[in-house]
Structure formats: structure tokens, C-alpha cells
Amino acid sequence: MPRDPLSAASNPPFAATPTGDEAVRPDIEPGPVEEILMLRIALDEDSVGEVRTRFRYDPDRPYEVLLTFHLGRSDEADWVFSRDLLRDGLQSLSGQGDVKLWPAYCPCHGSTLHLALESPHGQALLEVSKPRVKAWLDRTYACVSAEDEAAAGPTDDQLAALLAES
């Protein structure tokens, strides 16, 4: 039986905060922040399934988060969107087009985050524990703050020059 590709991290996960008396070594580059969560997926009006999903944040790509859905086949489905979209979706409706997120409350599961995804291949409505997503997202901000993320991007002058070349 093939090994489940989500059962092990693709790179060793990065602990954003020390777990004991270890000294924080500023000379070590932080690695990806990963966590595997079970998301509930609406299969039809009366049926719900679960899909294992890897949440991954790479400090080398500070603007984005990657969600990898393990669909129980040999293939996986990756969705990449902005970390800001995820952050905003924890508070209110966020996104437009292919990705929409919003907080909700479920009597059975408590505080949740809903994700609506659309592609040419179909659409999906998913639900996940909001506290678990928030804890993971907080680890990403401990790794790369919002201020450091903003400083990592191109300046307005650089963007204007890039657009002028087009």
C-alpha cells in the first residue's frame, strides 16, 4: 500500500516559538510552517466527508499560503492564496472569485472557518476549526511578521518600472 503523502511533512516543520529553555538562534533561517488538518467537505445536501489538508507557509514566499488537499487518490489538489486573505477570512467574509472564506459557528463543531473554492473542474465547500487555523496562522506571523512581509515585496517604484516594461 503506498504511503500517504500527507502523513509526513515535505520539509521539517518549523516551531515558531521555543518549546523549552532552548536559545533562539538568529543565524538559523526559519523553515516552513506546516500542519495537517482535517477539513469537512460538503459532498451533497445531506452528506459530509473529510479531507486531510496540509497547511503550508514558506518564509521564502511570505505573501502566500499553500493548502494541499489529499483526495484519497494518487493526485493532490493544491490551492495557493494570500496569507492576508486567510487572516481576513477568520474575521469576516474575505475573497472573491475562486476563493472565499468566512467565519461561522456550528453547534456540532464550534467556531469554524468556511472555505468556498471554485475552479474549472468544480467547486467545494469546506469547513475547518477556526481556532486551529488561527493558531497555525499565528505561527506563520511569528516566523515572518506582517511588517517584514510588506518589506519583502517590491516597492511602488519597482512595480511601476515593471509595468512600464510590459
Side-chain angles (χ1 to χ4, degrees):
M1 182 160 148
R3 188 172 64 87
D4 180 354
L6 288 182
S7 64
S10 57
N11 288 317
F14 168 68
T17 56
T19 56
D21 293 332
E22 309 103 29
V24 176
R25 293 188 46 197
D27 59 326
I28 296 177
E29 287 291 317
V33 179
E34 293 185 341
E35 185 161 349
I36 295 174
L37 300 174
M38 292 300 287
L39 278 67
R40 289 172 295 281
I41 182 170
L43 300 172
D44 59 40
E45 287 186 30
D46 299 321
S47 177
V48 174
E50 290 187 330
V51 60
R52 291 171 52 101
T53 305
R54 176 182 287 135
F55 283 64
R56 186 171 202 274
Y57 175 78
D58 187 339
D60 292 335
R61 302 174 71 103
Y63 292 104
E64 65 186 45
V65 295
L66 170 68
L67 272 57
T68 301
F69 300 98
H70 178 63
L71 305 173
R73 302 183 307 249
S74 60
D75 60 341
E76 297 177 333
D78 290 334
W79 282 78
V80 178
F81 50 89
S82 80
R83 185 166 66 152
D84 288 348
L85 180 73
L86 183 57
R87 180 201 62 211
D88 294 347
L90 290 170
Q91 303 304 316
S92 63
L93 177 62
S94 178
Q96 55 187 344
D98 296 345
V99 180
K100 295 180 187 82
L101 302 106
W102 65 94
Y105 180 81
C106 172
C108 298
H109 302 109
S111 184
T112 63
L113 175 68
H114 284 206
L115 294 86
L117 306 174
E118 292 185 34
S119 80
H121 305 288
Q123 56 190 17
L125 177 60
L126 300 123
E127 177 185 68
V128 64
S129 165
K130 180 180 168 184
R132 299 261 330 255
V133 172
K134 179 161 182 351
W136 175 82
L137 191 62
D138 288 347
R139 288 178 34 224
T140 73
Y141 281 108
C143 184
V144 176
S145 70
E147 294 78 23
D148 290 343
E149 176 187 319
T155 65
D156 289 342
D157 291 338
Q158 291 169 326
L159 285 174
L162 180 65
L163 292 173
E165 292 175 11
S166 305

